[in-house]
Amino acid sequence: MAAETETLPIAIIGGGPAGMALALALAGHGSRGQIFEARARGAVREDPRILALSHGSRQILEWLGVWRRIAATPIAAIHVSQKGGFGRTRLTALEQGLPALGYVATAASVGAALDDALAVADIPYHDLARVERVVTGTESSQLFTASDERSAQLVIYAEGMMAADAGTVVRDYGQSAVICTVNTATPHGNVAYERFTTQGPLALLPSKEEMAVVYTCPAELAGALANLDDADFLARLQAHFGTRLKFTAASKRRMFPLQLRYRRSPVGQRSVWLGNAAQTLHPVAGQGFNLALRDVWELARNLPNAEDPGDARHLTRYAAARSQDRNATIGFTDALIQLFGNDLPLFREARGLGLLALDLLPPLRAFVARRMIYGARAW
Ligand SMILES: Cc1cc2nc3c(=O)[nH]c(=O)nc-3n(C[C@H](O)[C@H](O)[C@H](O)COP(=O)(O)OP(=O)(O)OC[C@H]3O[C@@H](n4cnc5c(N)ncnc54)[C@H](O)[C@@H]3O)c2cc1C
């Protein structure tokens, strides 16, 4: 990073999907942000995580001009069930009058599309520039890397993690996600499966010709599960999932520890926390990046070429506008884990009744589908 004395309007720490999407959205509203990324540029193109993108996210990515470049598999239906209990339901795009309930893409594909668009728009991206310290001031903040110092009116923290300090709420679910892709004996037909088990939820998402697996399990079992040889892993997955699909091959497994972490407020003095740095959610409902994109959309709208983007009035307005959707999405995801991760018979009955009600009542299905598609502000 070259030494410069000019105060930047907006510095974005972290060039992951959230930071890059924000830089593009700001440019769309006539503001300029500069990205400071610890890793080499392009590392995001290797990100193996799978993202379930909602229809609302598609609309935001279209507005950012990157949707056409993302290799996305449409989800025509979602099948929801619980292992060892009655009740199941199926949400379909047809019933909701949408081209798809959502889409599945790798974080690598989303990252590559965003990175290409940043290059075309000539948005500054400083790679190998880990920000080691930020000193927050009243007029501006100072950012320090190993070799340099910059000042900015507003600092966006999009670094994908958050320190456990007084402003952070942490709930450790004691679970990890083992992720991989599997091949199936018959085509997946663009159906996604969400199966709740007492070990944690199991999600299978259609991704090109394969299914992407997010297999949640107790943290202490994750290592053993991930390290099973392919045949044993497939047998375990098959037993866990049931017989609706037959699995024939699996890719290398990776593990992610799962916690709910969120900052009580996503804004502070000359600071905004975005994406996983603002809230890290359990991936059960695939809400993390979708929520981040809705935050990106609102934040960029609130800072149109502002003279001082770090002015508290802009930040307070942004936080107020996002509060309902943010709290509801965090609460919805957390409630799913509490409700479906509990093996008491009463809970099993309640889950079954809930799924049955969902199956029998189209308005309730529409409600759940719209929440997954647009977030809490859809009504
Ligand atoms: C198993 C799993 C499945 C998921 N599935 C879904 C899903 O289906 N749908 C969904 O919407 N979300 C999903 N998520 C969540 C989704 O992956 C995240 O919401 C999203 O990737 C967060 O992006 P981000 O840019 O905030 O963070 P990251 O992708 O972590 O990027 C942060 C960037 O900041 C950089 N950085 C860190 N520290 C510094 C520093 N000090 N200085 C400079 N740079 C720094 C890092 O190198 C990195 O490039 C899933 C997550 C997991 C773990």
Side-chain angles (χ1 to χ4, degrees), residues 145-160:
T145 67
S147 59
D148 225 325
E149 173 184 346
R150 296 294 289 264
S151 66
Q153 291 173 298
L154 173 62
V155 177
I156 309 288
Y157 296 86
E159 58 208 348

Side-chain angles (χ1 to χ4, degrees), residues 74 102 249 293 318 353 355:
L293 279 178
Y318 159 71
L353 288 173
L355 289 174

Side-chain angles (χ1 to χ4, degrees), residues 262-288:
Y262 62 96
R263 299 193 68 85
R264 287 199 172 82
S265 170
V267 301
Q269 187 181 358
R270 295 201 170 275
S271 311
V272 174
W273 284 267
L274 190 70
N276 272 10
Q279 61 272 318
T280 306
L281 307 182
H282 195 297
V284 56
Q287 297 285 317

Side-chain angles (χ1 to χ4, degrees), residues 13-14 17-18 36-39 49-50 52 131 159-160 276 283 286 288-290:
I13 304 177
F36 298 88
E37 164 58 44
R39 298 182 294 170
R49 286 177 294 186
I50 295 287
V131 176
E159 58 208 348
N276 272 10
F289 185 54
N290 294 301

Side-chain angles (χ1 to χ4, degrees), residues 49-369:
R49 286 177 294 186
I50 295 287
L51 299 178
L53 300 170
S54 66
H55 187 70
S57 290
R58 171 186 170 154
Q59 291 171 327
I60 296 175
L61 292 165
E62 276 172 350
W63 174 71
L64 293 177
V66 299
W67 175 252
R68 275 181 300 122
R69 310 203 53 154
I70 295 172
T73 306
I75 300 174
I78 304 177
H79 186 278
V80 187
S81 61
Q82 64 168 331
K83 189 179 177 195
F86 72 98
R88 56 144 202 85
T89 194
R90 197 176 154 95
L91 308 171
T92 66
L94 198 64
E95 187 184 52
Q96 304 307 322
L98 288 167
L101 283 176
Y103 301 85
V104 183
T106 58
S109 167
V110 174
L114 290 167
D115 193 27
D116 289 343
L118 287 177
V120 170
D122 205 17
I123 294 169
Y125 187 113
H126 309 278
D127 70 347
L128 303 175
R130 172 177 294 281
V131 176
E132 293 179 343
R133 194 162 59 94
V134 178
V135 178
T136 308
T138 50
E139 302 301 316
S140 65
S141 297
Q142 303 297 118
L143 284 73
F144 298 87
T145 67
S147 59
D148 225 325
E149 173 184 346
R150 296 294 289 264
S151 66
Q153 291 173 298
L154 173 62
V155 177
I156 309 288
Y157 296 86
E159 58 208 348
M161 61 189 96
M162 69 189 88
D165 60 31
T168 313
V169 179
V170 181
R171 187 199 289 274
D172 191 344
Y173 294 117
Q175 293 181 334
S176 291
V178 173
I179 68 167
C180 66
T181 54
V182 292
N183 295 84
T184 50
T186 48
H188 52 56
N190 294 74
V191 179
Y193 295 85
E194 185 85 68
R195 186 153 172 79
F196 291 95
T197 83
T198 51
Q199 286 209 332
L202 170 67
L204 277 106
L205 304 169
S207 177
K208 299 185 189 147
E209 307 306 314
E210 302 172 328
M211 298 293 282
V213 177
V214 182
Y215 189 150
T216 315
C217 67
E220 64 278 10
L221 303 181
L225 178 66
N227 291 323
L228 286 175
D229 65 34
D230 287 2
D232 288 344
F233 176 77
L234 286 171
R236 181 77 66 87
L237 178 67
Q238 194 74 66
H240 204 49
F241 177 77
T243 53
R244 267 172 224 280
L245 291 171
K246 177 156 172 42
F247 307 119
T248 54
S251 71
K252 185 167 172 273
R253 272 75 69 192
R254 289 172 177 265
M255 281 187 299
F256 291 90
L258 299 175
Q259 284 187 332
L260 166 67
R261 275 177 183 250
Y262 62 96
R263 299 193 68 85
R264 287 199 172 82
S265 170
V267 301
Q269 187 181 358
R270 295 201 170 275
S271 311
V272 174
W273 284 267
L274 190 70
N276 272 10
Q279 61 272 318
T280 306
L281 307 182
H282 195 297
V284 56
Q287 297 285 317
F289 185 54
N290 294 301
L291 179 59
L293 279 178
R294 299 198 292 273
D295 288 343
V296 159
W297 165 266
E298 187 66 34
L299 183 57
R301 257 165 40 92
N302 272 277
L303 304 172
N305 208 8
E307 198 175 305
D308 179 1
D311 186 322
R313 282 170 300 183
H314 300 309
L315 307 188
T316 310
R317 199 170 55 229
Y318 159 71
R322 292 301 301 139
S323 146
Q324 186 197 356
D325 183 24
R326 180 173 191 257
N327 292 335
T329 306
I330 293 171
F332 171 68
T333 305
D334 191 37
L336 276 183
I337 302 302
Q338 305 300 329
L339 177 63
F340 284 92
N342 191 317
D343 201 24
L344 293 174
L346 199 60
F347 275 77
R348 214 177 311 141
E349 293 290 304
R351 283 193 296 262
L353 288 173
L355 289 174
L356 196 62
L358 207 56
D359 203 45
L360 294 176
L361 299 172
L364 191 58
R365 265 202 312 277
F367 175 87
V368 171

